[in-house]
Amino acid sequence: MAAGRTRGSVRGGASVMSGTLPAGLRALHRGSRIFRSEFPNAQGGLGRVMELRQLRTFEAVVRHRTVTEAAAILDLAPSTVSEHIRALERSLGVAVFERTARGMRVTPAGEVLRGWARRLLEQADQARREVVGAARALRLGALETIAASHAPGVLSRIAARDPGVAVEVRPSRSRDALMGDVAAGVLDAALLLDVGEALGDLGFAPLSAVASTDVAPVRSAVGPGSGEGSDGPGRASFADVEPARGPGTGEGLDRPGFSPALAFADVEPVPLALVAAADHPLRDAEEVTLGDLRDERLLINVPNCSFLLAADRVFGGALRRVRAEGVPVMRAWAEQGLGIALLPEFAVAQSLRAGTLTRLAFPVPPLQLRLIWGPDGETRADVRELLYAVAAGSGRP
């Protein structure tokens, strides 16, 4: 070896100066043997350039755990997502995911990249804003159904209060992903459906250090008779329903990198309705019991869906389940008699009025529309404007 040359190693045609690498990048290099066993023709090393789109795709796969879910969120074909991940791994010379039957599992090298990816994407976004002189947009996540039903009104009220506040709405089908994104700083706030005294009580493991925040205009939106445990005479409450850990129940928020330092405020109750085809035999029954439903097929959404988690509480494993992939499909299949569905009233109101669905007289407690935000939310003017705008749309003083 020539004098003064740093000792390194050469594998696959690429020189890796491991003695000069920072600790984080050394961890990436240590995982390269796994990568080369899976991709023997790859050119290893750190000389290739990572692209921002590859890092965004990497983050989406980390959050959603499958290529299919990440592709839906990114509006890309699954094959494109897979190619982005392969290209990223080729650029690093190391595997960032293990491919398993249950989805994509982050490798130790991928865990290192997770933190770097967020910082690099944030810096790129900041650079773009400074170059073009644009203000930072408030990133609001929302469940798909909430994005369609509630987000437009929120955007209108924010624009009326302060036209200078820009809001970027990012729909998602997963409560887990929304909470994780707010905790990780990918989102500034999110609208989701939940219930209980702690964030995630509907279907996730209890969280510690989660703040329930007394933001006056938002907390006042939930008055006596509308909140959890006070649903009025004859109304069921999830406080009285024992959790049923049946199929589809969430896995919890204890995955690596999740921080539970989130605050939340309940905005308004969201009534649920058990619906069926207009000619269902139980359409005229004054009261429907669980025994009456024992032969029914329950149409369900994706795992971690709020309606699925609510169904776990109400029905447990008593009903056969049919996965329908999305609220519009669940509603359409119920109209055609393929099963019954537990959905929010706002998602089926038009079908009930049109007579294509009937509401079964089965008591179901309401969920809560819940706004969550990160640790710095209350110090930011744009997040405060969001809180006021959401509260103003609840129809309560």
Side-chain angles (χ1 to χ4, degrees):
M1 180 177 292
R5 183 176 178 182
T6 303
R7 184 177 179 181
S9 59
V10 178
R11 295 191 182 99
S15 176
V16 181
M17 301 304 173
S18 57
T20 64
L21 293 176
L25 296 184
R26 284 203 301 273
L28 288 174
H29 173 54
R30 282 197 296 272
S32 62
R33 293 181 182 178
I34 300 174
F35 175 80
R36 291 190 182 88
S37 69
E38 297 180 4
F39 306 96
N41 297 322
Q43 294 291 320
L46 300 170
R48 299 191 179 191
V49 176
M50 293 184 294
E51 298 182 11
L52 293 178
R53 63 176 181 172
Q54 295 167 359
L55 295 179
R56 291 191 184 94
T57 302
F58 167 77
E59 274 202 335
V61 175
V62 169
R63 294 197 304 273
H64 299 282
R65 300 176 185 165
T66 70
V67 168
T68 302
E69 290 291 328
I73 293 299
L74 296 170
D75 197 22
L76 296 173
S79 59
T80 302
V81 170
S82 296
E83 177 52 35
H84 285 184
I85 296 301
R86 286 194 295 268
L88 177 62
E89 291 178 321
R90 286 195 297 268
S91 75
L92 294 170
V94 57
V96 294
F97 289 109
E98 291 180 31
R99 280 76 171 169
T100 72
R102 299 186 62 182
M104 306 284 274
R105 180 180 303 163
V106 183
T107 64
E111 287 291 349
V112 175
L113 181 61
R114 186 203 298 253
W116 279 101
R118 176 78 330 245
R119 291 193 292 273
L120 290 170
L121 290 171
E122 288 283 2
Q123 289 175 352
D125 187 49
Q126 181 180 352
R128 183 191 61 79
R129 292 196 309 270
E130 292 183 3
V131 169
V132 302
R136 184 183 184 278
L138 188 151
R139 300 160 300 178
L140 174 64
L143 292 174
E144 285 184 342
T145 50
I146 300 300
S149 61
H150 291 69
V154 171
L155 296 179
S156 297
R157 290 187 292 274
I158 288 180
R161 286 180 58 89
D162 187 347
V165 176
V167 182
E168 176 185 327
V169 178
R170 301 183 184 181
S172 175
R173 289 192 289 177
S174 170
R175 289 162 26 108
D176 190 356
L178 286 174
M179 287 190 271
D181 284 354
V182 175
V186 177
L187 294 173
D188 300 308
L191 285 167
L192 48 79
L193 298 175
D194 202 7
V195 75
E197 295 301 317
L199 185 60
D201 270 359
L202 178 58
F204 293 100
L207 302 178
S208 59
V210 178
S212 175
T213 300
D214 239 352
V215 180
V218 179
R219 274 297 178 189
S220 64
V222 181
S226 65
E228 166 71 1
S230 58
D231 303 307
R235 294 299 300 272
S237 166
F238 276 111
D240 303 321
V241 182
E242 190 68 24
R245 298 293 176 184
T249 300
E251 298 177 359
L253 292 172
D254 54 351
R255 67 183 185 277
F258 178 81
S259 168
L262 302 178
F264 71 92
D266 287 339
V267 179
E268 62 183 44
V270 177
L272 299 177
L274 184 64
V275 296
D279 60 352
H280 194 278
L282 296 173
R283 64 186 181 278
D284 296 323
E286 293 185 0
E287 182 179 358
V288 176
T289 67
L290 188 57
D292 296 328
L293 300 173
R294 62 182 178 275
D295 296 326
E296 295 289 340
R297 291 174 294 185
L298 179 66
L299 304 174
I300 61 171
N301 202 347
V302 295
N304 298 344
C305 165
S306 300
F307 319 130
L308 174 55
L309 296 174
D312 287 335
R313 287 283 189 102
V314 174
F315 304 115
L319 305 182
R320 186 156 55 102
R321 292 157 183 254
V322 177
R323 185 161 168 172
E325 293 285 353
V327 171
V329 177
M330 293 171 66
R331 183 174 56 233
W333 286 14
E335 289 175 341
Q336 298 172 54
L338 298 180
I340 59 176
L342 184 64
L343 290 169
E345 282 185 358
F346 67 75
V348 295
Q350 185 173 351
S351 296
L352 291 173
R353 287 194 297 268
T356 56
L357 283 177
T358 187
R359 181 172 187 165
L360 302 182
F362 185 87
V364 182
L367 298 178
Q368 291 287 336
L369 178 62
R370 182 164 284 181
L371 178 69
I372 65 173
W373 60 92
D376 65 339
E378 292 176 59
T379 65
R380 289 179 45 187
D382 55 353
V383 176
R384 294 292 300 183
E385 288 294 333
L386 173 64
L387 299 180
Y388 283 109
V390 170
S394 67
R396 297 180 184 272

